[in-house]
Amino acid sequence: MEQELAGKVAIVTGAGRMRSIGRPIAKLLAEAGAKVVITGTGRPPERYPNDEKAAGWRDIDSVADEIAEIGGTCLPVVSDVTDEAANDRLIERVLSEYGRLDIVVNNAGAARGEDRAPVVDLPYEEWRKVIVTNLDGTFLLSRAAARHLVKQGEGGSIVNISSIASKLAGANTAAYASSKAGINALSRSMALELAEHQVRVNAVCPGIIDTYRMDDLGRDEQWNQVVRSRIPLGYAGDGSECAEMVLFLVSDRGNWITGQAINVDGGTVWGN
Ligand code: NDP
């Protein structure tokens, strides 16, 4: 049977971390037959977490190797989502390597940091870092990609990795929640603008996924308590569930779905 993404070319941003959402997305799209371009910041190895160091991890190059091992095609590129010119260059690079573009997954996000504070204590710089990486980054690459997808004239699919925080907007998460709510709105606006070109735009809103960004919550009783109290299904995601939703949305199976912000969260959030 032909692979469902055979002949398609996809970009997945922020896909170089070992315990992450980007890595399983990139691998699943490649398994489905897409040629995949993955990006990262080119973070220095001395800043890798201990488990990555122990595993001899090499960021996006390791993910590219894994994809090659399963017979897929992957191009790892260091590219900063906050840099307007870099996003334009990324699209040019994809076109010069593979001749087309069909799918973009805006997954890169600012690391959890000093922004997890009440607004009255939130430095502007921290607010700006989160908004610029998450929202501006998604806007810049989506715009560059959409310009090409319209010109290419064969439809396409953009999936923006948002968060259930966009809907819960809890205390001490103003910058993050606002950036992700902005991503939902951007997705909807773009979906309406691009529908006539059969370019679909959706947001996926993960719940609690056990990646590096959660390490600061600890891995002891405190983590178990978060999981027990917030996830009806009783366990955290590992990114593979988000990857399955992304594959569904970008494949023909998701053909009639656009402009949505879909929760993948073990039952944490209900409704919009
Ligand atoms: P990580 O923080 O582990 O990964 C984020 C990725 O984004 C990293 O690979 C990072 O690159 C990359 N990145 C950060 N800044 C830039 C930049 N300026 N240019 C290019 N890439 C950049 O997060 P997760 O895997 O946990 O999350 C992935 C996405 O899912 C994020 O958007 C996050 O907000 C969202 N999400 C995560 C949830 C969770 O529970 N984990 C829940 C809901 C949403 P590098 O490795 O080089 O630093």
Side-chain angles (χ1 to χ4, degrees), residues 53-101:
K53 284 180 182 156
W57 193 247
R58 292 176 298 111
D59 202 67
I60 47 178
D61 290 333
S62 288
V63 177
D65 287 352
E66 289 182 323
I67 289 174
E69 277 161 26
I70 57 167
T73 303
C74 180
L75 175 70
V77 179
V78 170
S79 186
D80 180 355
V81 294
T82 69
D83 179 337
E84 182 177 15
N87 283 297
D88 293 340
R89 278 198 306 275
L90 178 63
I91 300 296
E92 282 162 24
R93 177 88 193 273
V94 172
L95 296 178
S96 75
E97 289 284 336
Y98 298 129
R100 60 180 297 114
L101 174 66

Side-chain angles (χ1 to χ4, degrees), residues 13-17 19-23 39-43 47 52 59-60 79-83 106-112 116 133-134 161-165 176 180 183 204-214 223 242:
T13 63
R17 294 201 174 220
R19 274 186 291 126
S20 68
I21 296 176
R23 176 188 177 199
T39 74
T41 60
R43 68 198 156 113
R47 292 226 310 268
E52 286 189 349
D59 202 67
I60 47 178
S79 186
D80 180 355
V81 294
T82 69
D83 179 337
N106 286 296
N107 168 75
R112 279 168 75 99
R116 303 300 163 122
T133 305
N134 296 0
I161 305 301
S162 177
S163 168
I164 56 170
Y176 185 69
K180 296 297 191 178
I183 285 174
V204 167
C205 301
I208 298 170
I209 312 292
D210 192 355
T211 66
Y212 290 105
R213 62 186 299 116
M214 293 301 174
W223 170 254
C242 301

Side-chain angles (χ1 to χ4, degrees), residues 137-161:
T138 300
F139 160 73
L140 289 169
L141 183 59
S142 297
R143 186 184 64 170
R147 285 173 174 162
H148 173 73
L149 292 174
V150 168
K151 207 182 321 164
Q152 192 171 270
E154 296 175 47
S157 181
I158 298 173
V159 177
N160 298 322
I161 305 301

